Amino acid sequence: MSEVVYEETATMIAAGELQSFVPFGREHCRNHPNAFNLQLRELQPASELWSSDGAAGLVGSLQEVSLQEREKECWQLRKGCMGVREEDVEFEEELYTAGTVVVWSQGSRTQASNVYKAFTVDSPVQQALWCNFAVPQNKKDVEQTVCIVQGSCVNVHTVTGKDFISPLPFQVSNVWATKFGLLLERKNAATDAQLGPPGEPLPTVFSMLHPLDEIAPVVCKPTGLFEGSRVQYASDSTMKIVFSCSQPSLIVSYDTLQGIHSVWALRKVTPDVIYLCLTSNPCGTPLGLMASGFLTSHLRNISRLDSPVGTSSPLHYSALHSHQSRMTTSSPGLHSRIHSPSISNMAALSRAHSPGMAAPSFSGAARFNTSFYSPSPRGHHGLLPSPNSTVNETMLVPEMEPIVPDLCMEQLWSETITAGCHREMSSQASKVFLTSDLCENCYLCFLVESHQELRCVKFIESNDTSQLIFASVTTIPAKDAEPLQNIDAMLVLEACGSLVLYTGVTRVSKVFVPGLLSPTFSMTNHLPHLSTPVENISTPANAGSRHLQRLDEAVMPSPVSELRGPNIKHHEASFLEDYTFQQAMPYIHALRDAVCNRVTLELSSGTMLRISIPEIATSELVGIFITFCKISTHIIMQVLVKWYNIYNAPGGPSAHAEWSLFVTCFMTLMGYNTDRLAWTRNLHFEVPLSPVIAAKKARPSDGGSDEDWEYLLGSHYHRQMNSQSVCGPLESSGSNNSLITDAEAPLFPHIPALFYVLHLLYQELQLDELQRARASSLVCLLQQLARDLQLEEYVDLYWRDYPSLISGFNESCLIDQGKTHLIRPSYLRAEPPCVLSWLSSCLRGEEVPPFPYLPGICQRTRLLVLSYALYIAGDENATSTDVSKYLAKLSAGETASNVIFPPYKFTHNSLFTGLGFTLKDLESVPFGVALPIREAIYRCREQPCSDWLEEVCLLIGRQDLTKQAHKMTLAKSKAVSLSLEPPATTEADEEEDGMSDIIQEVTGLIWSQDLRVQEVRRLLQSSRPVRVSVVQLPEVSDHEYIEEKENKLLQLCQRTMALPVGRGLFTLFSYHPVPTEPLPVPKLNLTGRAPPRNTMVDLNSGNIDVPPNMTSWPSFHNGVAAGLKIAPASQVDSAWIAYNKPKSPELANEYAGFLMALGLNGHLTKLATLNIHDYLTKGHEMTSIGLLLGVSSAKLGTMDMSITRLLSIHIPALLPPTSTELDVPHNVQVAAVIGIGLVYQGTGHRHNAEVLLSEIGRPPGPEMEYCTDRESYSLAAGLALGMVCLGHGSNLIGMTDLNVPEQLYQYMVGGHRRAQAGANRERHKSPSYQIKEGDTINVDVTCPGATLALAMIYLKTNNRSIADWLKPPDTWFLLDFIKPEFLLLRTLARCIIMWDEILPNTDHYDLLKIRSYEVYYITAGACLALGLRFAGSANSDAFDCLYEFARTFMKIMSFAGTAAVQTGYYNLQTGLSMILLAMSMVMSGTGNLKVLQLCRFFHKRTGGEMNYGFHMAHHMALGLLFLGGGRYTLSTSNSAIAALLCALYPHFPAHSTDNRYHLQALRHLAVLAAEPRLLVPVDVDSLKPCYALLEITYKETKWYDETTVELMAPTMLPELHLLKRVKVKGPRYWELSVDLSKETQHLKSILSRDGVLYVKLRAGQLPYKDDPQGWKSLLASTVNHRNSGVRAFKPDAISTFTSEPALVSFAKFFCKTSEEMKHDSLVLFSAMLYECVTQECPEMLPTYIAVEQAVGALRRGDLLQTFPLWQMRLVVELWDSRVLRGPANRHDTLLTSEFLPVMKNMVDVALDGWLKGEEFILAVFMIVYSPLLYPMPLVVLCSAALKLTWRWNTNDSQ
């Protein structure tokens, strides 16, 4: 076969899938309304055009747009990349442009094209292209866009639906998409000399990194002759960009002067380059004037609103457009086009008023037109003397702020300029592309049409991959070329018109396009004229069955009719002598639009054809083999080219014959004569060809030949008929001599290496059930090579694996081993590596040598070997440091660094997932090999970590964890709304109470026994009229009776107005608003209905006096309550907030509250500063209060400067002393002061602390300023100071000179006022004329603020000396000198300083005996402290203690007269309210029934002393008790305590307008103390909330040891910092443990999202709701008698115990009695099913069945290969290794119970039965083969294999 020469020119391949091509966009545009509109407009007179919808610019454009220009079209294609996964259909995308329309369409082979997006713009489209921009906030993400370039702007449309319009500051000649964004080339570079300063050219290349960014010049770094080549702006007007690509980031440019091409790397600018650019230039002056001044001003004129300079009409320049045409070189398909006229620039700009861009002023555009746009019409180079030419002014006054460049071009390579003039200058490359060859070398190719050649520059990455190195240039004669990306080739159109395929620069073959020969031009007509012997024509004898012969060019017609010009020499054997005939034929004129392996041919007739070039291999086996036979580049290229030509010859093989063809080709290249080897000769006839495929072959001649007879004699059929023994005299017949291999063949030296690679591939295929059939086809080739290389043990191995197959092979060829060039690699050992025996040794615990593997090809081998090492051998480091112990890596010059290991901690699972191994892949691993891995996975399933990755959870089959992990990885930025939807209520009255969003599924589980949630809704609703029942006594007149009813209503309204504060807490964060709808706000209904006639009672009748402004604050609270419903995770933006603004002014207070609520839930940060300014300038007091408190809460503790400025304007003390006195309402000042406290919370900011300290004791001013409601201001200053220094104690850094504690103590107890220091001295010079305080401190004003400030500064510090200051006096006499309220505050303050000493015990004193209101206040203070200490803990001791005090107070109140009169009803009620609040703090979120009863009791009391404030307190308590509908509770962090002190300040307002002592708005700050701690188990199958048992372990503290408690979830968790572990307990659900000692973030994120913890019900278990005691489960009946379980199990009932579809289907089809099903099988299948259900391993069902099938086949004696026996052996060895470890380990195995021993017994019986009759043969076998036997304890297996082979041999010979 020495004639098989490497000669690719003689070959030809056939292109497939020929179809005509028409761009889809063209079809779509025909039906597009746009063209019709234009025609209509042309008919209108110009005057009407001016008035039609802003289309002013159309006058000019209609005159200028000629018909031909409107017809101009271009398009480009690319591989579809829009959010499609790899395995999905491969599709193409087309971007089509014609006139003003751009159509983006998608289509694939299987699916018709459809429009994805279509755009119509105002002026003709110059260019449309795809571009990816980086997202500004997140640099990793890219935004896919389409950019449409018009004359004056670029429209950018993103896939996600955003639209931008970026104005262009100059005319653009071309736009390029790069890795970073767009590159723009400026047009009219020739006229720069007139504009710029002398000698300084203007930049020509600009970049735009995002549509909202400024356009910046690009700098370039040319390679100079010396090192420090200077960095400069890309301003060379002779440089034209001809190509850009993003991977790698390259630019190719062409120098029009020298005619050479250069390659540049495009990258981001480094700081030093920016510095160089902005500071230096050759003349020594900064580049300031040129680029930074002149250009900048122009760039900015267009993008910023400039003040008008000239006032000329923009239409003045209509004649100044230029009509030059040019070739575009951007994308393959853009035809030449004429520039759009510059007239429409202005019009387009004025029309382009859109949110995406700032519209320039008229004058700005006008001066632009003058200076930049218009080339001089007269052709001279001077400036046009025009009245409004502002170039000179622009140059005189440059803006000196330079535009910083973003991108830098660094020159990598340029063509060498050939000396002399023997070669004319190259023209600009008309096409540039990147391609690679089959050996992965990369080339940059550019087509130079003037020379008709394609220049290919090879480039490689440098070692550190930081830069590209360009090497040699190869030229290929070509008229056109296109790259074919996914087959590593390119298609070249030669000058003669023929298509040739190249891979890199290696020519592969010509391409034959079937449809391009004209119908008259068929082979039959022309064959007789050929002057060649007929034998050369391919006949069945030689070329029909083998494609290795040359397809002579003389015989086949030339692939494509060739076009000959006078200068192209004639080919010798051309058919077409007639030149005129040839011209009439359409020939290929150009190539375009290559995508993957498809390309469009443009014919001379104008039609287009789309063809596809075939792949190199479709069979996976061939593909794998080709990939890893790359030994030496030269040879592999030769081999691949050879194979490609054979495989794709015209009329080539069908796909299923591919392997046979490949083997033949491969063996021929190794030097075998495949015609002489019987088995390769038969390869082509094994597969019957379908008639369709057969028709493609050349027709066999009727005569036949000698070879046909030889084929018949050699056939397998003939051998079977001819009963000669297999080892008969064939070998000695002397035919051996003809089977000598050819040592000159290209692959001959590499036979041993290739054999070893193939053997490892064979071992890899053994490990994949889906590929094992291919292993059998590979084994034929392997045994032949093993025989010829005389590797006896390998032959033996193949014999054992496939005895039936290999018994038929007996020929061997002589390979002359003495030949020096047969390379025998060192790794080819005598004993063959067998992966199954390696795994078997591992299971038996023997020492194992490293197993050889090829990186990338033996992934499965590597994975399973390492898994066994990790799990069976127990080597923790198997996957990290000890890899080399288990794997010996073979590679041609590859390093060990190629082994990629997953980056995280190696558990067995992470090894799998790191390699992308899934359960699907595990199903294809043979059952014996997979069993240990399944076991490892099963163990992980029992006790997984809660924070494993989603892939790992999926692998171990825990759907609950997978779902949880998926939810966590789900876009964290996006709001994940509660997966439990709130109920949709229909009744109108239900809707309007504002509480319909509480999720009843969850509340129904938490409080399943009663209707307490409905009761709370009833108590807190304020939207329905109240019932006013007053009995009319006989002596009462009707008029008095009406007044009585209205007075009663007024009392009830005090309660109604106080309800919203509680409702806000109850519905906290329960609603996700719809962005298109306003927030529903329930109305505050202050009317009543009087029974029995339900008559309306109204306060506005004028019968009684109603306080003015009574409803203003209640409306505010109502707004806050509505706003607090919005969950923090909702999608809320600035527009939606403004959209909610009410139209009517009476709702302004509600909106003010709404704004505050948005701040409390964190959404107010999204409100634009502009809107904040708007709201504050309105001067509406409530709005200012709500806004200031809102933004401060949203920026809690951030020290945000912009918010600080905002607040300082409202606080005179923070303004400079000389500043203008602003008239800020008092309440707004109070809110601003609290705002400072919130923004600076916990920061210890010195200046603010100093100001706030002095503000506590701010004296009243001389006029009436600072004289009213001084108490609330002083309190606010104290609270703010406390927040700023929160918890700092004595560690106040840098504040020792302020003496903060002493100053506060003085404010608390009184004394002489200190002199004001610093800036405020001026302010307080003159004393007040109204209030005569003298120079002593007014303790009544300053004491509360100072006390709470002290408490907050020393919060939880346990500082006894400070606490002692706050002790109540020791004697009754001294008690009289302190206000009782102050006693309450001091007790509270003292307790929270001594935090650790607050304990719930009631044995202090008997309140019933003392009866002094001072003591009641002290008690109330202590109770409040207890409430704060145990807030949200539901601590039963604390609750009992508080409940006891509450009952005591109730008793005292119920003593009619005496006590209540003595101590005052008000004082008792205040104390009781405080205790109620304390109780609800402790039981927050739990909905405790006793507290609810107390709240309901107080709700009903409306008369007497029950004022607005008490109602507010009681309903706040109710709201806290059901905080967030039971999902939230209170925290005890410092920040939360501070918020609660502000909100629950123990002096409640007396009436609804009372803000004297405490600003009412602060009541809502309690929200800042709320935290979500409700854990809701959700069944992962039904997605419904359910009950689950939790085990919660507390950390050890000084009060208690480590404690474990059991809770039934859904439940409120304790504070996370107190916990060590939270665990879902079995047996109902799969266990899941969250370890909080390591990190709490995982659980925190679950709770803050929606508290949903997914749980998975175990098989055979029912949920607690259906089966509270656990008596109905599948296993309950079988606890006592194990065996009856299988019998009691009814397969019909399977669906109640498992939701696994596979098991349900199996039960349905295989476990029901039917005629076909034998009883034994039925029982067996039912037992298997029971086992899978109870053990919860549905994935084991296939294993059970496979074991049963293997054993059955063995018993029937119809095993064709020994593979199933291997698997059985591995299973048995795993079982043995478990049992050897001790009986305790038995329950760990997955194949439990009696199944395995029974099966093992059956195998033993079958093998023993065989052995009994065959002792003689066994004895012979042992004598002959004992040296070769493997160390096998199960001799039985060997004998079984032997027995099988013996049996088949005897069968054959009979």
Side-chain angles (χ1 to χ4, degrees), residues 800 834 836-844 846 868 927-929 931 1747 1750-1751 1762-1777 1796 1800 1803 1830-1838:
R800 286 165 190 277
C834 169
L836 294 173
S837 59
W838 192 96
L839 298 175
S840 163
S841 310
C842 190
L843 281 171
R844 293 198 306 278
E846 299 169 3
Y868 269 65
F927 68 88
V929 178
L931 192 61
V1747 170
V1751 173
T1762 54
F1763 187 77
L1765 282 176
W1766 259 119
Q1767 300 309 311
M1768 278 301 296
R1769 172 174 164 178
L1770 290 170
V1771 170
V1772 172
E1773 278 172 346
L1774 178 68
W1775 172 262
D1776 290 344
S1777 72
L1796 197 57
K1800 183 169 186 279
V1803 176
Y1830 297 9
M1832 269 193 199
L1834 292 170
V1835 173
V1836 208
L1837 267 172
C1838 309

Side-chain angles (χ1 to χ4, degrees), residues 1688-1838:
F1689 174 59
K1690 298 273 186 301
D1692 308 346
I1694 180 87
S1695 56
T1696 52
F1697 300 116
T1698 175
S1699 57
E1700 198 63 49
L1703 294 186
V1704 176
S1705 308
F1706 183 75
K1708 183 176 164 189
F1709 294 115
F1710 294 97
C1711 301
K1712 286 197 177 144
T1713 44
S1714 61
E1715 299 82 47
E1716 301 94 47
M1717 196 67 79
K1718 293 190 199 125
H1719 180 66
D1720 295 354
S1721 306
L1722 199 67
V1723 172
L1724 184 65
F1725 286 152
S1726 293
M1728 288 177 185
L1729 187 62
Y1730 178 79
E1731 209 59 62
C1732 289
V1733 171
T1734 52
Q1735 294 299 312
E1736 290 212 64
C1737 43
E1739 68 275 8
M1740 283 304 292
L1741 191 58
T1743 304
Y1744 280 116
I1745 295 171
V1747 170
E1748 197 271 333
Q1749 282 181 319
V1751 173
L1754 185 64
R1755 290 170 73 194
R1756 293 191 300 276
D1758 55 3
L1759 273 181
L1760 293 174
Q1761 43 181 327
T1762 54
F1763 187 77
L1765 282 176
W1766 259 119
Q1767 300 309 311
M1768 278 301 296
R1769 172 174 164 178
L1770 290 170
V1771 170
V1772 172
E1773 278 172 346
L1774 178 68
W1775 172 262
D1776 290 344
S1777 72
R1778 288 280 175 270
V1779 176
L1780 281 174
R1781 288 194 203 163
N1785 283 302
R1786 276 196 190 191
H1787 69 274
D1788 284 347
T1789 52
L1790 273 177
L1791 283 172
T1792 48
S1793 76
E1794 301 78 25
F1795 179 71
L1796 197 57
V1798 170
M1799 290 295 159
K1800 183 169 186 279
N1801 190 36
M1802 284 181 178
V1803 176
D1804 289 344
V1805 170
L1807 294 180
D1808 289 346
W1810 285 11
L1811 286 176
K1812 279 201 181 108
E1814 321 296 350
E1815 282 93 351
F1816 168 70
I1817 288 182
L1818 181 65
V1820 173
F1821 182 82
M1822 297 302 279
I1823 293 162
V1824 177
Y1825 280 105
S1826 56
L1828 298 175
L1829 269 180
Y1830 297 9
M1832 269 193 199
L1834 292 170
V1835 173
V1836 208
L1837 267 172
C1838 309

Side-chain angles (χ1 to χ4, degrees), residues 20 292 330 523 545 625 923 1284 1361 1687:
S20 70
S292 320
S330 60
M523 282 172 71
S545 60
F625 194 73
E923 283 168 20
V1284 171
S1361 55
R1687 289 185 214 124

Side-chain angles (χ1 to χ4, degrees), residues 49-50 54-63 122 315 343-348 350-351:
L49 266 172
W50 276 109
L58 270 169
V59 187
S61 53
L62 277 179
Q63 289 166 358
D122 293 338
L315 291 172
I343 156 74
S344 58
N345 293 328
M346 189 50 234
S350 58
R351 256 199 322 278

Side-chain angles (χ1 to χ4, degrees), residues 295-423:
L295 184 76
T296 309
S297 58
H298 275 303
L299 283 174
R300 292 192 174 142
N301 276 351
I302 204 90
S303 56
R304 295 187 185 162
L305 291 167
D306 255 29
S307 56
V309 180
T311 52
S312 77
S313 148
L315 291 172
H316 183 68
Y317 299 100
S318 57
L320 299 184
H321 56 271
S322 56
H323 267 306
Q324 71 252 35
S325 312
R326 64 176 185 80
M327 272 300 290
T328 102
T329 54
S330 60
S331 47
L334 300 176
H335 291 187
S336 62
R337 53 178 182 239
I338 298 164
H339 288 308
S340 62
S342 52
I343 156 74
S344 58
N345 293 328
M346 189 50 234
L349 279 174
S350 58
R351 256 199 322 278
H353 250 308
S354 94
M357 80 177 249
S361 59
F362 264 95
S363 64
R367 67 198 247 208
F368 234 113
N369 268 344
T370 318
S371 49
F372 257 116
Y373 271 73
S374 15
S376 161
R378 304 185 202 147
H380 66 75
H381 289 289
L383 271 171
L384 266 178
S386 112
N388 57 349
S389 161
T390 54
V391 176
N392 300 329
E393 293 108 281
T394 318
M395 284 182 55
L396 296 175
V397 209
E399 286 182 39
M400 288 311 285
E401 179 197 335
I403 298 183
V404 179
D406 292 316
L407 299 180
C408 173
M409 290 163 51
E410 196 167 342
Q411 192 168 4
L412 298 178
W413 175 86
S414 63
E415 285 181 286
T416 48
I417 306 166
T418 41
C421 53
H422 63 270
R423 181 182 143 187

